[in-house]
Amino acid sequence: MAALPAVQDYRALAHKRLARMARDYLEGGAEDLRTLGRNRKAYDALLFKPTVLTDVTSVDASVEVLGQPLAMPAVVGPTGLNGLYYPRAEEALATAAHRAGLPFVVSTASTSLLEDVRRASDGELWLQLYVQRDRGISQRMMERARAAGYSVLMLTVDTPVHGVRDHDIRNGFKMPLRITSRLMADVITHPRWCLRMLRQGGSPQLVNLARSAGTAVNLAAQAAAMSRQMDMSLDWQDIDWLRAHWPGRLLVKGILSVDDALKARATGVDGIVLSNHGGRQLESAPSPLELLPAVAEAAGSAMTVMMDGGIRRGSDIVKARALGAQAVLLGRAPLYGLAARGPRGVDEVLQILRRECETTLRLLGCPRAAELSPSVFQPAWKERLKAL
């Protein structure tokens, strides 16, 4: 079957193939989904100002971020419980990212071991870290990542507790899964998804967390480790503790204000990721894109600024880069490809985004992504963002 035309088509196919609980976990946001919707509205608010009669025979979507070349201004970002969508999900995402010339970020809540992901890919691998109350778990996670050649640590700071996610409550989605008549009906009506789960031995396991926590490989113990032990005392002074255990590049993910961006810069971290956790944590939070210009200006050249949230088109990547993000993190989009068509679906989604990015550069009359700036927008772009 030929590749589908757009990320949205992979999303639609993923919806058909995933059991409802898996689909809702992938797509859902916090409370009434206002933050989730705001992420997309921010992109829609920006209008381009193309320049014509410019030589765009060749275009270059590549950029350099943290000293690493990227084929386009994007990183395949961290997402948890990916085994809900396809067996050995992280290995598939990592190998597709490498083929696309992009780094891949493995989540603390991954369903594949750090070491297995490294064996599957020779590409750039980063580790996303949640810090548990027992900090020995995080220390062991960092040690394992260093030993496996991971180059960047991404500390997520916006999840001291889980946001209120009504869809998970309605579906009874929590770990370990409780067998109910509703769940059984959901599984039976999605035989393709059911067979995928059986191929990996049933429900996906948080094996990465279990390995570092010394926890038995069963979902009840892993779920307890993930929820009960999140360190709610973590503060800016703990950056020094992380530095003592991680000699490589360090990013802080979950920034949503200029003030916190400046605090991050003062600690000497290498960069930040503007993020509202894909609309899944705090309801009525701003979108990263609307904060990006002010944060990028405040950060200056002292640290790298990236962002995530709502990227569905190559033109979205171009908009973020033009407003000051060195790169975006791709979250749901690659997962749509994975859930829809397996590993080749991830390849196809990343190819679509790269192709759309290059097409947008050509139509803008800006042949190099590295040279993007707010000048590619209509003059009223600031007002349009403020009106969200």
Side-chain angles (χ1 to χ4, degrees):
M1 185 186 299
L4 303 174
V7 171
Q8 189 69 11
D9 296 295
Y10 288 86
R11 178 176 183 262
L13 184 55
H15 280 203
K16 291 180 181 178
R17 293 186 170 173
L18 289 175
R20 176 175 178 173
M21 65 169 183
R23 183 191 69 220
D24 287 355
Y25 183 77
L26 170 59
E27 292 284 51
E31 298 186 17
D32 298 313
L33 312 183
R34 290 189 296 271
T35 303
L36 186 66
R38 194 177 183 92
N39 285 351
R40 280 303 313 159
K41 289 178 182 177
Y43 290 99
D44 295 340
L46 290 171
L47 300 180
F48 284 127
K49 185 183 71 175
T51 298
V52 298
L53 293 177
T54 301
D55 185 356
V56 289
T57 305
S58 63
V59 295
D60 183 4
S62 68
V63 295
E64 185 175 294
V65 176
L66 296 174
Q68 300 178 11
L70 277 59
M72 62 178 170
V75 173
V76 178
T79 47
L81 278 178
N82 292 333
L84 281 172
Y85 317 123
Y86 203 85
R88 299 184 64 188
E90 279 82 16
E91 289 96 320
L93 291 163
T95 53
H98 182 41
R99 283 191 291 265
L102 307 176
F104 172 59
V105 192
V106 180
S107 170
T108 292
S110 67
T111 52
S112 297
L113 292 171
L114 295 173
E115 295 81 1
D116 289 343
V117 178
R118 168 48 75 203
R119 280 188 284 270
S121 172
D122 294 326
E124 284 291 334
L125 296 177
W126 302 359
L127 171 66
Q128 176 273 333
L129 186 69
Y130 291 118
V131 176
Q132 271 75 35
R133 199 180 311 161
D134 176 1
R135 295 198 177 181
I137 298 172
S138 298
Q139 288 177 218
R140 288 187 288 275
M141 188 84 74
M142 288 186 280
E143 289 168 1
R144 290 171 52 215
R146 286 173 57 192
Y150 286 60
S151 60
V152 175
L153 181 70
M154 184 179 290
L155 172 69
T156 295
V157 295
D158 61 0
T159 317
V161 295
H162 288 297
V164 177
R165 303 172 190 174
D166 297 345
H167 55 281
D168 286 343
I169 298 171
R170 293 188 189 103
N171 291 332
F173 182 86
K174 59 182 179 180
M175 296 179 64
L177 293 175
R178 187 167 59 89
I179 303 300
T180 64
S181 57
R182 181 174 182 174
L183 175 60
M184 289 304 298
D186 191 11
V187 169
I188 291 170
T189 54
H190 294 86
R192 183 191 297 262
W193 179 83
C194 185
L195 287 173
R196 286 180 181 177
M197 295 304 101
L198 291 174
R199 280 173 50 195
Q200 67 179 359
S203 296
Q205 303 275 318
L206 295 174
V207 292
N208 218 23
L209 180 63
R211 172 71 61 89
S212 288
T215 300
V217 182
N218 69 76
L219 285 172
Q222 294 164 20
M226 193 68 187
S227 59
R228 184 180 64 245
Q229 297 179 359
M230 206 68 84
D231 190 346
M232 290 187 281
S233 72
L234 201 69
D235 62 23
W236 289 108
Q237 295 181 23
D238 290 314
I239 298 297
D240 290 336
W241 170 77
L242 282 166
R243 284 291 194 195
H245 296 283
W246 183 263
R249 302 281 196 174
L250 175 59
L251 305 175
V252 175
K253 177 178 180 287
I255 301 295
L256 280 179
S257 71
V258 170
D259 287 345
D260 277 347
L262 292 175
K263 290 176 183 176
R265 188 178 71 174
T267 68
V269 298
D270 297 284
I272 59 173
V273 180
L274 294 178
S275 175
N276 58 30
H277 217 93
R280 297 163 71 85
Q281 281 296 99
L282 177 65
E283 182 64 297
S284 298
S287 72
L289 192 71
E290 65 185 295
L291 296 174
L292 177 58
V295 169
E297 181 179 2
S301 60
M303 66 179 180
T304 295
V305 176
M306 293 188 280
M307 61 152 288
D308 66 9
I311 295 97
R312 300 292 181 270
R313 290 280 187 180
S315 57
D316 299 335
I317 297 173
V318 169
K319 287 177 180 180
R321 176 77 190 192
L323 285 187
Q326 277 90 333
V328 302
L329 270 59
L330 303 174
R332 290 182 175 95
L335 296 181
Y336 295 149
L338 185 69
R341 292 168 61 124
R344 70 170 176 167
V346 186
D347 285 324
E348 290 164 357
V349 162
L350 296 180
Q351 289 165 10
I352 287 169
L353 291 172
R354 168 79 175 272
R355 184 169 62 248
E356 290 179 346
C357 188
E358 292 175 346
T359 297
T360 303
L361 292 174
R362 280 194 164 92
L363 294 176
L364 281 175
C366 179
R368 297 187 68 245
E371 295 175 353
L372 285 165
S373 73
S375 66
V376 302
F377 299 119
Q378 294 289 337
W381 66 267
K382 291 183 180 178
E383 290 73 16
R384 293 180 67 87
L385 280 180
K386 288 178 182 178
L388 283 175

